[in-house]
């Protein structure tokens, strides 16, 4: 009986990599990811749902106290639209300036990400597509988290 | 008093100071202006320290002699947001602590990863306990242990393994179902990088670890040719999450003398010194809760009487929530103690926070 | 003693040179400016600090024509606005370290808010 061969393991690894690459590749410079999120309308819905979760989430609702939520949601949609290759321009401040007054920690940043994932789940954004956005948001931890 | 200069009838000289008539005119006009101007001195006293630049429309003339019973200004206490600190925040994202590997460290099934076990962020502590059951063709392995992660920086673990030799025990002269028991105490330190947040960099999360292993069956391990019944493994792991591709990759380098991970002692007749072994994991994230992947782990092959080969597995890990996860794998350990092609299931459960 | 009869504009015009007339006008302008400037410097000015997304006063009183200086001593951007039949303003964003000077020209009671932080409120009582 043939034992488990290194080739099989490598085949699995290759298959996994190919599976990851075989789905639509969202190259920088086009709006494929923007369209995958349902364009501005889709982003507006996701941001609205995520914001509802954030202001109800005991872990982070205090950080949303005394914030004009309409203004916040607009800025966030602009930012996500621009990040995903959409025809928008984010006009808010950079992540460090915008968040330093809040003294956020990692747990708060992660809570925000988790609620955003739930919002994206609600609108049936595929997990791999969600990660295409999260890959751009994750490095913002370095600037947004100051505590 | 005679103002003689006012009656000076000298002729005016062009280009010089004003003539006497001009001087007279000036003095008369100045006197009139001084008498007619409102008294500004009372208003000056109320002026603020820094005068305002004229960015707003010019002020209209204000008679300052209003009644002095204006209400006092009411100050407000400026609020400070009290940030929360929680030593057991379980704040890390789901699955980012890995599971418990065979020797009790945080990682995959076979190999430790650079991730620190548990869900504590850098401000907190996380911990877990695991139980693993591995029914192979001829042997049964069990592993149970606990691990604690401190501030996403340090991990310590304690694990106990039981290797039931079953019928092979009798063949080897130890008795049917003879069980090799091993204790493993581990520590791991994250040296650099953050697998989750450093998505804008190719730098992996890197950790260094040690595992002190003590096999209780000193006589039996020597009987199969091992030189020692305890030993220390040293390893370095590099883990990278390629979030855009939903792929996690890990490579571990290990310096070890252990035979079959220590189950059959340390060192042997073929080789009784440290050798560098390679371990790797590749996982694809299907969802927040489910990852599938494959691993390999090489072995030093120190014993001529009990050859060993690279171990492989393909696995699925399901994270119910931050308190519970299950891992199911198909494991091929290669040859163990004269038995060929030891394969079977790997089942593990982890509870923690 | 001044003999007013001797101050006669027609003779004065002939007596003073252009240079002299320039000096006369210049001195009159200085005198006028001094008097008017005294009136502007006399307007009231009060400072209100924006910190921790709040004003450091709930209510202030200022004379009509006075200036309220909104000092951003916060880590957040702010702006100020008020809406009333008598008086309105709606400023641009003011970053940390910046000061906005708002003149309140008419009497009344005005609620000042920040578009960005809805809980911020200052009552300005203009008398």
């Amino acid at each position: 009986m043939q034992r488990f061969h290194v080739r099989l393991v490598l085949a699995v690894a290759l298959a996994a990599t190919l599976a990851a690459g075989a789905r639509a590749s969202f190259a920088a410079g086009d709006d494929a990811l923007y369209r995958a999120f349902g364009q501005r309308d889709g982003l507006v819905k996701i941001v609205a749902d995520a914001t509802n979760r954030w202001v109800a989430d005991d872990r982070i609702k205090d950080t949303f106290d005394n914030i004009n939520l309409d203004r916040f949601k607009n800025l966030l949609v602009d930012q996500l639209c621009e990040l995903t290759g959409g025809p928008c321009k984010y006009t808010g401040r950079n992540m460090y300036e915008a968040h330093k007054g809040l003294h956020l920690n990692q747990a708060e940043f992660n809570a925000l990400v988790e609620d955003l994932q739930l919002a994206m789940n609600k609108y049936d954004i595929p997990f791999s597509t969600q990660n295409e956005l999260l890959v751009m948001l994750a490095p913002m931890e370095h600037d947004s988290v100051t505590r | 008093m005679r103002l003689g200069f006012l009656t000076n009838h000298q002729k005016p000289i062009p280009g010089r100071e004003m003539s006497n008539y001009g001087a007279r005119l000036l003095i008369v006009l100045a006197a009139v202006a001084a008498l007619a101007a409102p008294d500004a001195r009372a208003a000056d006293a109320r002026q603020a320290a820094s005068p305002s630049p004229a960015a707003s429309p010019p002020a209209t003339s204000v008679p300052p002699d209003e009644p002095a019973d204006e209400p006092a200004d009411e100050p407000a206490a400026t609020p400070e947001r009290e940030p929360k600190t929680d030593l057991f925040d379980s704040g890390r994202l789901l699955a980012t602590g890995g599971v418990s590997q065979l020797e009790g460290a945080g990682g995959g099934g076979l190999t430790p990863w650079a991730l620190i076990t548990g869900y504590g962020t850098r401000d907190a502590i996380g911990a877990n306990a695991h139980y693993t059951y591995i029914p192979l063709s001829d042997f049964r392995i069990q592993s149970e242990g606990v691990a604690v992660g401190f501030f996403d920086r340090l991990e310590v673990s304690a694990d106990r393994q039981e290797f039931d030799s079953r019928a092979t025990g009798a063949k080897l002269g130890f008795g049917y179902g003879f069980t090799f028991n091993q204790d493993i105490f581990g520590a791991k330190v994250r040296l650099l990088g953050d697998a989750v947040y450093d998505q804008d960099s190719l730098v992996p999360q890197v950790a260094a670890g040690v595992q002190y292993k003590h096999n209780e069956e000193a006589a039996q391990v020597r009987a199969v040719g091992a030189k020692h019944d305890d030993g220390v493994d040293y390893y370095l792991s590099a883990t990278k999450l390629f979030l855009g591709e939903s792929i996690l990759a890990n490579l571990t380098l290990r310096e070890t003398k252990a035979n079959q991970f220590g189950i059959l002692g340390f060192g042997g007749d073929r080789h009784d010194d440290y050798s560098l072994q390679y371990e790797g994991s590749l996982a694809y994230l299907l969802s927040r809760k489910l990852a599938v992947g494959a691993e390999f782990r090489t072995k030093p092959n120190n014993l001529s009487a009990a050859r060993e080969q690279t171990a492989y597995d393909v696995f699925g890990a399901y994270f119910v929530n931050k308190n519970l996860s299950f891992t199911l794998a198909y494991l091929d350990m290669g040859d163990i103690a004269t038995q060929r092609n030891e394969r079977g299931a790997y089942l593990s459960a982890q509870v923690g926070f | 003693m001044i003999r007013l009869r001797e101050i006669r504009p027609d003779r004065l015009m002939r007596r003073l040179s252009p240079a002299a007339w320039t000096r006369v006008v210049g001195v009159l302008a200085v005198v006028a400016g001094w008097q008017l400037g005294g009136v502007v410097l006399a307007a009231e000015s009060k400072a209100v600090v924006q910190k921790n997304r709040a004003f450091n006063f709930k209510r202030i009183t200022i004379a009509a024509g006075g200036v309220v200086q909104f000092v951003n001593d916060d880590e957040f951007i702010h702006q100020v606005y008020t809406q009333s039949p008598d008086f309105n303003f709606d400023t641009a964003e003011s970053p940390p370290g910046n000061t906005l000077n708002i003149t309140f020209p008419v009497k009344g009671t005005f609620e000042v808010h920040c578009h960005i932080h809805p809980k911020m409120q200052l009552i300005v009582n203009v008398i």
Side-chain angles (χ1 to χ4, degrees):
Chain A
M1 170 92 76
Q2 291 283 20
R3 66 163 300 211
F4 230 84
H5 206 281
V6 62
R7 267 183 276 175
L8 178 58
V9 173
L10 290 175
V12 169
L14 191 60
T17 316
L18 284 173
R23 46 155 192 78
S25 169
F26 300 118
D30 67 55
D31 66 347
L33 187 58
Y34 176 64
R35 285 184 276 111
F37 272 91
Q39 303 184 81
R40 193 173 179 95
D41 268 355
L43 288 172
V44 165
K45 289 188 190 135
I46 289 168
V47 166
D49 187 82
T51 305
N52 287 339
R53 293 176 196 269
W54 292 329
V55 299
D57 188 330
D58 284 334
R59 298 172 294 179
I60 53 174
K61 64 183 181 195
D62 285 354
T63 67
F64 286 89
D65 181 48
N66 196 12
I67 294 290
N68 180 335
L69 291 177
D70 287 336
R71 177 181 176 275
F72 167 79
K73 284 189 274 193
N74 257 319
L75 283 170
L76 183 55
V77 168
D78 285 342
Q79 187 180 36
L80 298 182
C81 169
E82 186 176 342
L83 281 175
T84 55
C88 313
K89 194 88 189 79
Y90 171 64
T91 55
R93 306 168 86 199
N94 66 48
M95 291 297 101
Y96 173 66
E97 295 292 335
H99 295 101
K100 69 175 176 181
L102 296 172
H103 309 122
L104 299 173
N105 67 7
Q106 281 188 342
E108 287 162 339
F109 183 88
N110 288 346
L112 191 112
V113 170
E114 288 172 0
D115 289 343
L116 177 61
Q117 286 178 307
L118 294 174
M120 293 190 285
N121 285 350
K122 177 173 172 175
Y123 288 97
D124 299 318
I125 307 293
F127 183 66
S128 54
T129 307
Q130 295 184 23
N131 287 340
E132 291 268 328
L133 176 61
L134 293 178
V135 72
M136 294 186 276
L137 301 181
M140 293 180 183
E141 183 270 351
H142 302 310
D143 289 333
S144 310
V145 173
T146 48
R147 176 157 58 98
Chain B
M1 179 174 159
R2 283 191 63 99
L3 301 166
F5 74 99
L6 288 173
T7 61
N8 192 341
H9 288 287
Q10 271 182 334
K11 269 187 89 138
I13 302 166
R16 288 192 60 192
E17 295 295 325
M18 276 180 275
S19 69
N20 54 327
Y21 288 101
R24 265 179 268 172
L25 179 60
L26 168 66
I27 289 161
V28 165
L29 285 170
V32 167
L35 286 168
D39 186 350
R41 277 182 204 95
D44 282 343
R46 284 185 290 159
Q47 192 175 342
S50 47
S52 54
S56 38
T60 55
S61 176
V62 176
D65 41 288
E66 286 283 296
D69 62 342
E70 58 187 52
D73 296 339
E74 191 185 343
T78 40
E80 287 271 5
R81 187 175 84 92
E82 285 294 318
K84 293 185 217 171
T85 50
D86 183 358
L87 192 58
F88 307 105
D89 61 16
S90 287
R92 298 235 306 272
L93 295 168
L94 193 65
T96 59
V99 292
S100 300
Q101 54 95 219
L102 191 54
E103 290 137 324
L110 277 178
T111 183
W113 291 352
L115 305 176
I116 298 297
T117 202
Y119 286 103
T121 64
R122 69 177 177 205
D123 307 311
I125 297 172
N128 48 68
H130 76 276
Y131 172 73
T132 302
Y133 180 63
I134 306 173
L136 299 172
S137 325
D138 298 288
F139 306 104
R140 295 278 184 274
I141 306 176
Q142 291 181 92
S143 157
E144 56 277 344
V146 295
V148 185
F150 297 92
F151 311 111
D152 201 15
R153 180 62 66 177
L154 169 70
E155 174 191 294
V156 294
S157 57
D159 187 82
R160 185 165 175 86
Q161 291 174 338
E162 296 93 34
F163 177 85
D164 182 345
S165 62
R166 308 185 83 223
T168 312
K171 256 209 287 191
L172 293 170
F174 306 144
Y176 183 93
F178 180 82
T179 301
F180 291 78
N181 297 297
Q182 176 168 236
D183 289 322
I184 304 173
F185 301 100
K188 181 203 295 178
V189 174
R190 175 164 66 93
L191 299 174
L192 60 97
D194 189 299
V196 176
Y197 298 130
D198 290 348
Q199 294 302 323
D200 53 346
S201 151
L202 287 174
V203 177
Q205 179 163 330
V206 179
V210 293
Q211 289 175 331
Y212 169 69
K213 302 177 179 180
H214 175 246
N215 192 311
E216 291 182 354
E217 323 313 326
Q220 284 74 13
V221 301
R222 287 202 167 77
V224 296
K227 299 294 183 188
H228 317 274
D229 59 1
D230 69 355
V232 180
D233 286 3
Y234 305 92
Y235 67 87
L236 194 70
S237 288
T239 307
K240 187 71 185 157
L241 175 63
F242 299 96
L243 194 50
E245 288 73 33
S246 304
I247 284 176
L248 180 139
N250 174 81
L251 180 67
T252 297
L253 303 176
R254 180 191 299 261
E255 283 280 346
T256 183
K257 291 182 179 183
N259 310 315
Q260 297 292 2
F261 309 151
I263 292 167
L264 296 183
F266 302 82
D269 55 316
R270 292 186 79 240
H271 189 244
D272 183 25
D273 203 349
Y274 279 98
S275 58
L276 184 64
Q277 304 303 319
Y278 304 87
E279 307 168 14
S281 313
L282 200 66
Y284 180 66
L285 312 177
L286 288 166
S287 76
R288 282 188 319 134
K289 300 188 175 194
L290 184 60
V292 295
E295 298 180 291
F296 75 93
R297 178 168 169 177
T298 67
K299 301 176 195 169
N301 208 18
N302 299 322
L303 300 168
S304 57
R307 301 296 205 130
E308 57 185 7
Q309 295 87 26
T310 301
Y312 300 96
D313 75 60
V314 287
F315 69 86
Y318 183 64
F319 299 85
V320 176
N321 53 39
K322 292 184 187 179
N323 301 126
L324 179 63
S325 73
F326 298 107
T327 305
L328 174 64
Y330 182 71
L331 173 65
D332 183 335
M333 283 284 281
D335 302 341
I336 304 180
T338 76
Q339 295 292 8
R340 313 281 317 281
N341 306 322
E342 290 298 308
R343 302 174 195 151
Y346 174 112
L347 302 114
S348 185
Q350 187 198 80
V351 296
F353 59 92
Chain C
M1 187 169 161
I2 303 165
R3 284 185 223 155
L4 292 173
R5 273 176 296 158
E6 289 185 319
I7 302 171
R8 281 161 57 176
D10 54 328
R11 288 174 107 183
L12 183 66
M13 298 282 276
R14 275 178 276 142
R15 289 280 180 159
L16 290 177
S17 67
W21 268 112
T22 308
R23 286 178 183 274
V24 167
V25 170
V27 171
L28 288 175
V30 167
V31 169
W34 170 59
Q35 292 305 324
L36 285 170
V39 167
V40 167
L41 288 170
E44 185 178 10
S45 183
K46 279 193 178 176
V48 171
V49 176
Q50 297 153 316
K51 193 166 177 68
N52 294 326
R53 295 180 279 173
F55 294 111
N56 67 334
F57 283 99
K58 290 186 199 169
R59 171 191 296 271
I60 60 163
T61 301
I62 193 160
V67 174
V68 178
Q69 301 173 291
F70 290 93
V71 181
N72 188 339
D73 187 26
D74 208 348
E75 292 177 288
F76 302 95
I77 53 173
H78 290 290
Q79 65 91 245
V80 283
Y81 74 90
T82 202
Q83 283 172 323
S84 75
D86 307 321
F87 180 50
N88 292 291
F89 61 85
D90 191 354
T91 72
E93 290 175 356
S94 175
N98 193 48
T99 297
L100 289 169
N101 299 293
I102 306 296
T103 304
F104 287 78
V106 295
K107 294 189 198 178
T109 299
F110 305 99
E111 279 187 14
V112 177
H113 296 276
C114 173
H115 267 312
I116 302 166
H117 306 107
K119 287 188 179 175
M120 289 179 75
Q121 179 176 283
L122 170 74
I123 310 265
V124 179
N125 195 26
V126 187
I127 56 168

